[in-house]
Amino acid sequence: MPEGDTVWQAARRLHTALAGKVLTRSDLRVPKYATADLTGHTVLDVTPRGKHLLTRIEGGLTLHSHLRMDGSWKVYANGRPWSGGPAHQIRAILGTADRTAVGYRLPVLELIRTADETRAVGHLGPDLLGPDWNPDDALENLLQDPTRPLGEALLDQRNLAGIGNVYKSELCFLLRVTPWLPIGELPADRAAQLPALAKKLLEANRDRPTRITTGRRDQNLFVYGRAPRPCLRCGTSIRRADQGDGARERPTYWCPTCQPDPTPPPGRIPPPGAGRSRTTPHRTTN
């Protein structure tokens, strides 16, 4: 599941492979840009912005992509077989004399002018892994709607950019509150800790192949994907429920002992022992 640290890693791989090199192959497999030809142009840099990737190319162009749930960029040495999925899932190919970057299952892919990047990412809040990070602004954004559930506020990239469903669940556990707590009811001392804690988690994992929030080698995560296994802190069975605004539900995990009320709305909690997530907490590193 791509989150801010995963996208940061993808940007670094793409930048290492492409930056400063001339494109010898260009194939954008979306109808609007099917005739666009970037061959002969030099890639200037690849920059992450929250969960977005900005590949800047000479001539004032930016290839903007977003991985969402299933997208990925793979980098291959020329002559090596591609293994990111079937050919019909390829949305972009950028090749140089020695490397080829292949974008699979990219739900967002557009070629825009670099001067217009704000149209694609200008709505984002402070980036947890970016040079614009400002914890005070992030907290102010989060608290603008005090009735909003904490988990929903954390996922809103307009508040702060880079948190996904895994970090949402893990942050709430570390703060000892449920994701359904109205953010305005978050105790002031824990609200003050939240931006720094979020940044600490993402920074600690941006160079790791496997995401770890526990500091333990035997268990990578405290709650995400662990229902109905016992809580690492108290032994209570981890629970799972859906959380969202009705248009987009996300599987959410919490410990009912370490994270007391409020609980999810009725009908969103599977019975105890059911619903172990199929979502892996690991990240691919290709």
Side-chain angles (χ1 to χ4, degrees):
M1 177 179 294
E3 305 201 17
D5 51 353
T6 313
V7 175
W8 191 91
Q9 289 184 6
R12 183 174 60 178
R13 291 194 300 273
L14 290 170
H15 184 86
T16 299
L18 302 176
K21 299 179 181 179
V22 176
L23 292 174
T24 58
R25 183 177 181 182
S26 164
D27 186 359
L28 305 182
R29 298 183 180 179
V30 293
K32 186 174 180 179
Y33 305 106
T35 60
D37 186 5
L38 301 174
T39 57
H41 294 263
T42 300
V43 176
L44 302 179
D45 67 79
V46 182
T47 298
R49 181 71 173 87
K51 299 182 184 182
H52 299 250
L53 284 164
L54 302 171
T55 302
R56 299 183 178 116
I57 301 163
E58 71 170 343
L61 296 174
T62 294
L63 186 64
H64 166 231
S65 59
H66 194 297
L67 306 181
R68 296 222 174 129
M69 292 295 290
D70 300 316
S72 67
W73 279 96
K74 310 288 186 180
V75 175
Y76 303 98
N78 288 351
R80 296 291 300 274
W82 300 352
S83 56
H88 72 265
Q89 294 182 348
I90 295 174
R91 296 293 176 266
I93 301 171
L94 299 176
T96 69
D98 61 347
R99 293 285 188 275
T100 301
V102 185
Y104 290 90
R105 300 171 298 279
L106 301 175
V108 175
L109 185 71
E110 59 176 348
L111 190 62
I112 60 177
R113 296 199 63 79
T114 302
D116 296 333
E117 284 182 358
T118 54
R119 179 176 63 81
V121 297
H123 65 288
L124 299 174
D127 187 342
L128 283 154
L129 295 178
D132 70 321
W133 172 245
N134 185 310
D136 295 331
D137 287 350
L139 184 57
E140 181 179 354
N141 292 344
L142 287 166
L143 294 174
Q144 281 184 354
D145 182 357
T147 65
R148 193 174 192 186
L150 174 59
E152 292 182 24
L154 288 172
L155 287 181
D156 191 335
Q157 302 299 295
R158 297 171 297 181
N159 291 332
L160 68 172
I163 291 178
N165 211 35
V166 177
Y167 282 120
K168 176 196 77 173
S169 295
E170 295 295 292
L171 278 167
C172 289
F173 177 82
L174 290 168
L175 293 169
R176 292 179 176 263
V177 295
T178 77
W180 293 272
L181 179 77
I183 192 167
E185 297 179 21
L186 184 65
D189 59 333
R190 280 176 266 186
Q193 296 171 11
L194 194 160
L197 180 59
K199 183 175 179 60
K200 180 180 179 180
L201 288 180
L202 266 72
E203 283 190 333
N205 284 292
R206 68 182 183 183
D207 294 317
R208 291 174 177 163
T210 300
R211 187 178 288 128
I212 300 173
T213 61
T214 62
R216 296 170 49 165
R217 293 184 178 182
D218 58 331
Q219 293 288 348
N220 296 333
L221 302 176
F222 283 109
V223 291
Y224 187 84
R226 297 194 65 249
R229 285 172 282 175
C231 172
L232 299 179
R233 182 183 285 153
C234 73
T236 303
S237 292
I238 299 297
R239 301 299 303 275
R240 174 194 180 277
D242 292 331
Q243 183 179 36
D245 57 9
R248 193 174 189 184
E249 302 292 326
R250 302 285 186 91
T252 300
Y253 300 84
W254 83 105
C255 170
T257 298
C258 296
Q259 300 165 265
D261 294 336
T263 57
R268 294 193 179 186
I269 309 177
R276 180 175 294 189
S277 172
R278 295 182 181 179
T279 305
T280 174
H282 305 301
R283 298 173 296 178
T284 56
T285 59
N286 293 328

